[in-house]
Amino acid sequence: MAEDRHDMETAALDWVIRLRDPGFDGWEEFEAWLAADPARAEAYHRLATADQDMAGLLAAGLLAAAPPVPAEAPANVVPLRRAGFTRRAWLGGAIAASVAGLVGFGMIERQPSLYQIETAPGMRRTVTLDDGSRIALNGGTRITLDRKDARHATLDRGEALFDVVHDEKAPFKVLVGDATLVDVGTSFNVVRDGRVTAVQVAEGAVVYNPDSEAVRLDAGRRLRAVDGDPHIELAAVAPDAVAGWREGRLIYDGQTMADVAADLSRWSGETVRADPRVAGQRFRGVLSLGRDHDVAGLAALLDVDVRRSGREWILSPRTP
Amino acid sequence: MSSTGLEAVFLSSRDRLLAFLRAHGAGDAAEDLLQELWLKVSSAPAGPIAQPLSYLYRAANNLMLDRYRSQQQASKRDQDWTEAATTVPGQSDEPSTERRLIAREQLRLAQAALDALGERPAAIFRRHRIDGVGQREIAGEFGVSISTVESDLRRAYRAMIELRSRFDEG
């Protein structure tokens, strides 16, 4: 039987689909199709078992409902030309590479509804979404929002506090690095710095990567994860210490000096770096930052030397 | 229909079912497989069966798929897939192994593949594959022709199946 292989695959696929119809009764027709060529049964079995295997994936809650009605774009935003790429930036690794051709890059061009909001270092602003949810952006922060889906935000970099209006039917999702956060309550802070993601929950709860790790973070918990590293750090945080940056209070309970430097950079607009010799040093305490935000004045409190090097502030070991 | 009623249909349709198993490539094993089919069907919890012949055909079809599956080498990746895909959302698992990272990537790839089809084909696929709604009814719901539903489903099923096979190849 000189049947084109592609036609046979298509026909086999059609049978897989037709047999899934609840009222299917074309058994004799199906049998006649199978009987005409032994290769057809092979093709059908292969496709049908692959389809059966999708069941686990479908059950894992993969295929969420279609996005809701488009919302109007807030003013003062940057349209995103190569939209979608940041959200898809996980493309990497052997599996991804092997399917890249299959999925295609069409989806990268296909999302004109995305737009970005960015703050300069030292600047802070709050965005209110259509559903009443508020996102407070610390300095040096960029988020990507979706005009078509108000329950969706990507933290590209920096720090943001999400005060989310909870909706059981449409949970608010934050994409950060290669992780997804889904709100179960109301208020949480997310920091994205290089490949590091840190989440702190002030009220309610958040689920980290509901489709894989599914780590639930309740109020008073924090999480720290590094892209590509399966290890996730969980610890406690005082709920009222979460997003103290909005009032100029940075509250620490054992974070590293590298984290403190990153916070100071975002908050002050100055570039602050931790010398490698102190970067891993832990800090406990409260930094109150005034309008003049004099980084040098924090030296004693941080137990480091703060010196100016060109345009940067460097936190370095104390000299006796 | 009781199980004795089902047995009557089974006996009267014996030859048809045998032919169906042979069309599936059962070959010399067809008689044994028919016996196996009856054991399975008769030991299943007896509920009311509206269309006994269709029920038997479907059971025979599943039997042949199981047979095909057991003939394939169960690869390690299959295990990865099944374990990963049955993770319960909301359950606080200890994150760690590479397995989970692979699963996470697979989930995202599948979602991306579906998104890439466009809204209507993705929605139609969900209605058919997840909600189990027939094509005719879907056509009515979406206000499109049956052939549109067919072509949307073809694209969606193909995308998902191709993706699934790529996972196996690793």
Side-chain angles (χ1 to χ4, degrees):
Chain A
M1 182 127 198
E3 184 174 32
D4 182 72
R5 186 177 159 76
H6 180 261
D7 288 348
M8 185 176 72
E9 293 265 326
T10 304
L13 184 66
D14 282 348
W15 283 113
V16 171
I17 297 168
R18 287 183 62 189
L19 260 74
R20 278 224 163 267
D21 255 36
F24 176 79
D25 64 354
W27 297 103
E28 286 173 29
E29 198 190 334
F30 178 46
E31 181 191 320
W33 178 79
L34 284 174
D37 180 356
R40 290 179 175 180
E42 218 293 318
Y44 169 75
H45 291 157
R46 183 165 37 78
L47 296 178
T49 49
D51 173 59
Q52 285 179 340
D53 290 341
M54 297 308 291
L57 185 65
L58 302 173
L62 152 76
L63 306 166
V69 198
E72 285 304 306
N76 198 7
V77 296
V78 188
L80 190 56
R81 274 176 302 278
R82 289 182 56 225
F85 192 72
T86 45
R87 254 181 85 184
R88 311 289 179 187
W90 47 267
L91 275 172
I95 300 169
S98 72
V99 282
L102 162 70
V103 174
F105 286 89
M107 61 190 177
I108 289 170
E109 307 296 338
R110 266 187 61 254
Q111 298 195 351
S113 60
L114 298 187
Y115 61 98
Q116 295 182 327
I117 299 175
E118 191 161 3
T119 52
M123 303 295 290
R124 274 159 290 282
R125 70 172 282 198
T126 298
V127 184
T128 304
L129 303 180
D130 284 0
D131 63 3
S133 296
R134 277 173 302 137
I135 307 176
L137 281 70
N138 200 347
T141 297
R142 192 178 79 192
I143 57 171
T144 302
L145 299 172
D146 192 342
R147 233 169 246 128
K148 280 189 176 171
D149 184 357
R151 304 294 286 175
H152 208 141
T154 303
L155 178 64
D156 299 318
R157 62 164 181 270
E159 178 166 26
L161 177 78
F162 296 86
D163 270 311
V164 168
V165 174
H166 186 61
D167 178 352
E168 200 77 34
K169 291 194 203 96
F172 195 91
K173 286 186 187 169
V174 178
L175 277 79
V176 52
D178 57 5
T180 303
L181 303 166
V182 178
D183 96 284
V184 188
T186 45
S187 182
F188 57 100
N189 190 72
V190 187
V191 176
R192 176 70 179 170
D193 188 12
R195 297 167 59 234
V196 178
T197 297
V199 185
Q200 301 182 323
V201 181
E203 283 175 47
V206 170
V207 177
Y208 176 85
N209 278 340
D211 292 334
S212 46
E213 289 91 345
V215 177
R216 184 187 164 102
L217 292 175
D218 288 303
R221 300 286 289 167
R222 64 184 168 92
L223 168 152
R224 185 173 184 280
V226 181
D227 290 357
D229 180 354
H231 183 76
I232 292 173
E233 202 178 295
L234 297 171
V237 61
D240 55 4
V242 175
W245 55 264
R246 286 182 305 168
E247 285 86 43
R249 276 184 316 129
L250 304 184
I251 304 170
Y252 298 95
D253 184 21
Q255 281 88 336
T256 65
M257 209 53 74
D259 289 337
V260 174
D263 287 344
L264 289 172
S265 299
R266 270 192 297 274
W267 203 92
S268 66
E270 311 257 12
T271 304
V272 183
R273 278 199 309 116
D275 180 295
R277 287 169 294 172
V278 300
Q281 193 172 310
R282 304 279 172 173
F283 175 66
R284 288 189 170 74
V286 180
L287 303 180
S288 287
L289 305 175
R291 282 185 192 286
D292 49 351
H293 45 72
D294 181 7
V295 177
L298 300 171
L301 203 53
L302 290 170
D303 197 27
V304 292
D305 272 353
V306 178
R307 59 185 172 80
R308 190 89 182 167
S309 167
R311 290 189 195 161
E312 298 180 340
W313 291 98
I314 309 289
L315 311 182
S316 56
R318 292 203 85 165
T319 43
Chain B
M1 170 157 293
S2 66
S3 65
T4 49
L6 189 64
E7 185 167 10
V9 175
F10 179 82
L11 291 173
S12 67
S13 315
R14 212 177 168 280
D15 291 347
R16 297 169 74 171
L17 292 169
L18 213 47
F20 185 68
L21 294 174
R22 291 208 173 98
H24 265 286
D28 295 342
E31 291 278 355
D32 291 345
L33 285 164
L34 190 70
Q35 185 61 24
E36 194 180 332
L37 175 67
W38 175 246
L39 288 176
K40 280 202 167 156
V41 168
S42 57
S43 63
I49 296 164
Q51 291 171 309
L53 185 58
S54 201
Y55 176 84
L56 291 169
Y57 267 121
R58 194 170 287 282
N61 200 66
N62 288 338
L63 182 68
M64 294 310 287
L65 290 179
D66 290 347
R67 183 169 180 262
Y68 172 82
R69 198 183 281 281
S70 64
Q71 284 170 346
Q72 301 297 308
Q73 282 290 350
S75 68
K76 183 181 169 296
R77 234 174 241 291
D78 263 332
Q79 293 173 12
D80 288 343
W81 176 269
T82 310
E83 287 167 22
T86 48
T87 299
V88 183
Q91 182 178 318
S92 187
D93 288 343
E94 192 66 349
S96 51
T97 61
E98 186 191 357
R99 198 192 77 212
R100 290 196 180 283
L101 290 178
I102 291 169
R104 178 159 66 176
E105 220 162 30
Q106 289 180 342
L107 281 162
R108 283 176 200 234
L109 289 168
Q111 183 73 65
L114 202 63
D115 287 348
L117 296 170
E119 269 179 41
R120 193 197 59 212
I124 285 181
F125 175 75
R126 281 185 198 102
R127 286 300 276 161
H128 192 258
R129 183 65 177 79
I130 301 174
D131 304 337
V133 178
Q135 297 192 32
R136 196 166 297 277
E137 203 178 329
I138 293 175
E141 281 179 13
F142 284 79
V144 295
S145 67
I146 291 270
S147 64
T148 301
V149 173
E150 279 172 355
S151 85
D152 279 358
L153 286 176
R154 201 177 282 150
R155 283 177 59 217
Y157 273 85
R158 177 174 284 139
M160 300 307 271
I161 287 172
E162 281 179 6
L163 189 64
R164 175 72 181 102
S165 347
R166 302 286 173 116
F167 291 163
D168 279 345
E169 288 162 17

